[in-house]
Structure formats: C-alpha cells, structure tokens
Amino acid sequence: MVGGRRGTLLAALLAAWVAAAAAEAEAGSEQAAVPEERSLVRPMTASNWTLVLEGEWMLKFYAPWCPSCQQTDSEWETFAKNGEILQISVGKVDVIQEPGLSGRFFVTTLPAFFHAKDGIFRRYRGPGIYEDLQNYILEKKWQSVEPLTGWKSPASLTMSGMAGLFSISGKIWHLHNYFTVTLGVPAWCSYVFFIIATLIFGLFMGLVLVVISECFSMPLPRHLSERSEQSLQSEEAHTAEQLQDVEEEKDDSNEEENKDSLVDDEEEKEDLGEEDEAEEDEEDSAVTGRDEERSDALDQRPPGEAPEDEAPGGETGDNTPEQPSLAGAEVAAEDTLRQRKSQHPDKGPS
C-alpha cells in the first residue's frame, strides 16, 4: 500500500513538471513570434558622421549614465518615427564611445542637440520634447539661430584637431580603467606610468623634429662659410676701430674742454687782479689828491689866523667849549699816518 502511494505521488509530480515546461515553451514561442520594434534613431560614429553634411539632420549627444538624457529618450524616439513626415534624419552620439565626435562638436553639457542643414550646423537649446522639436523644424526656427561657422564649424580643420585630442584622451581613460579595474593596479601607479610615458613621448618628438630640421637644412659650401667667417672678422675689426675712434674723439674733446676751462680761469684771475690794482690806484690817487689840497690850504693861511670855525679867544661862534674842527682832526690824523709810514722804512732788522 505504501509503495503504491509513493509511486502515484511521483507520477503526479512528474506530470506537473512536464506541464509547466510545456507552458513555458509555448510562452517563449509566442514572444519569439512578436517582432521587436526597430529604433529609427541612427547611431553616429567617427566613421559615418560625414553623412550629416548632406541633407537635414538632428543630432543628440548623450551618455548612458546621464539622467537628463534618459528622460528625453522616448521623446527622441517619437521624433525619429515622424522623421519621414518632417523630411529629416535623426541621429544620436554616445560621448563615452565616441569622444572624438564630442570634441569635434565641442560638447560641454549633456544632453546636447544640434541641427544640420547641408553642412551648416546650429545649436538647438530648447527642451528635448517632441512638440518643440517638431515646431523647430516645421516653422524653420533654426533660421533665426546663428550658425557655427569658421573655426567653430565641426567640419573645420581646428575642430578636427580637437576631435583628435578628445579621441586620445578617451583612449587614455579607457586604458586607465583597464589598469585599475581589470588588472587591479593602484591608481597612483597608473598616474606614474602616464607621466613617464608623456615625458618619453615628448623627448622622442623633440628628437624627431631635430632630425627633420637637420635633414632639410642645407649646409653652406666651404668657400662660402670661409667668406662668411672673414666677413664677420672684418666687421668685428671695423666696429672695434669705430669704437676706438669714438673714444679718441671723446678724449680730445675732454682735453680741449679742460684747456678752455683753464684759460678761462686764468683770464678771470688776471681780470680780477687788474680790477684790484685799478681800485688801489684810484684810492691812492684820491688820498694823495686830498693830502695835496689840504697841505696847500694850510700853506696859504696866514700865520696866527685861527680856523674859520673858531672865534677869537678860542671860542666858537656858538659860544661852545673849545673843540678842534673836523678838517683839523683829519689833517692831524693824516700827518700822524705819514710820519708812521716814513718811520717804517727807516727801521732795519734788529
């Protein structure tokens, strides 16, 4: 009895498992029968981005980790479905996988939208909503937006160089992630590796430039080099002679100036001596003239006659006490001076 019950239970479990497996297989076949909806947004890469130079395009730059980019994905898909009606192509660029294109368009914020019409690019700064995008195309609002021309154009040589720099930076970033994540190398070791690689690359490029310059620079023939050396020596000698002549002229001019200044000083001294002598002569002549006049006046006065300022009896006209007149005092002082002068020559050395 027990064995029969166990056999019946196992048979029931086996039948249930078979039924479940059959149901899952049917569900899988039904899902496989429904075709997956194909996206009309065309991924753009560095190899096919030149397609946007012809016709009218709208491009979206995004990153998988960007929340704002994810919010506009459904709107961008709807806009792409109506692209045939609007006669416009719709594309998208993953900046993580295509850093060169992000550098070519100089993308600094995400998401970023661009409109292209026959190779002329404009930046769309509106919201990424289907209605706004549709109105932007139907009403041709892009005509009022300033295009990216000149060096700012993605097709210019400048932005091509920028794309190359961004591509190199993206490869370096991927290599850094490979070292740190895949191989488990510490981050500082990766930084040291890139620093050393940068120095070695710079030295190598400098060596290449030197070799190129040496290859393209033609050396001068021997006779031309000798002539150039001789000409340089002659020019140096000529310049040295000119410097010597200038110094000699300066010395001569300084000597002449010194001589002129000495002569002027001597002439000034002579003039001053002559002026002093003339003043002394004038003073001596004036003194002698006054002496002669006074002596003549004294000789002509009769003896016993008193001076004009004195009254008889030794009194003045004003009845003042007896005083010598000013003229008499001067005469007496001059007489004493003459006596002293006459005495000095007579004295000899003691």
Side-chain angles (χ1 to χ4, degrees), residues 112-139:
F113 303 97
F114 287 88
H115 174 267
K117 177 69 173 178
D118 296 330
I120 298 176
F121 297 88
R122 292 176 175 83
R123 181 75 180 265
Y124 171 73
R125 299 186 182 277
I129 303 174
Y130 167 71
E131 288 79 7
D132 294 329
L133 294 169
Q134 186 178 7
N135 293 331
Y136 185 79
I137 300 301
L138 292 176
E139 298 177 7

Side-chain angles (χ1 to χ4, degrees), residues 53-133:
L53 298 177
E54 298 177 358
E56 189 172 7
W57 285 77
M58 284 292 291
L59 296 178
K60 172 187 174 182
F61 288 81
Y62 72 100
W65 48 263
C66 176
S68 300
C69 301
Q70 295 173 3
Q71 292 176 1
T72 58
D73 285 344
S74 60
E75 300 288 340
W76 198 251
E77 290 289 342
T78 305
F79 179 62
K81 290 177 182 179
N82 296 320
E84 296 181 358
I85 300 173
L86 300 173
Q87 296 181 356
I88 189 171
S89 301
V90 180
K92 62 181 179 179
V93 179
D94 186 353
V95 296
I96 302 299
Q97 299 297 327
E98 300 294 335
L101 283 180
S102 64
R104 184 180 293 275
F105 285 81
F106 203 70
V107 176
T108 56
T109 58
L110 295 175
F113 303 97
F114 287 88
H115 174 267
K117 177 69 173 178
D118 296 330
I120 298 176
F121 297 88
R122 292 176 175 83
R123 181 75 180 265
Y124 171 73
R125 299 186 182 277
I129 303 174
Y130 167 71
E131 288 79 7
D132 294 329
L133 294 169

Side-chain angles (χ1 to χ4, degrees), residues 2 9 40 66 80 100 118 124 150 155 213 224 226 232 283 305 333:
V2 175
L9 182 59
L40 297 177
C66 176
D118 296 330
Y124 171 73
S213 63
L224 293 177
E226 292 177 354
L232 288 174
E283 290 178 357
E305 183 179 358

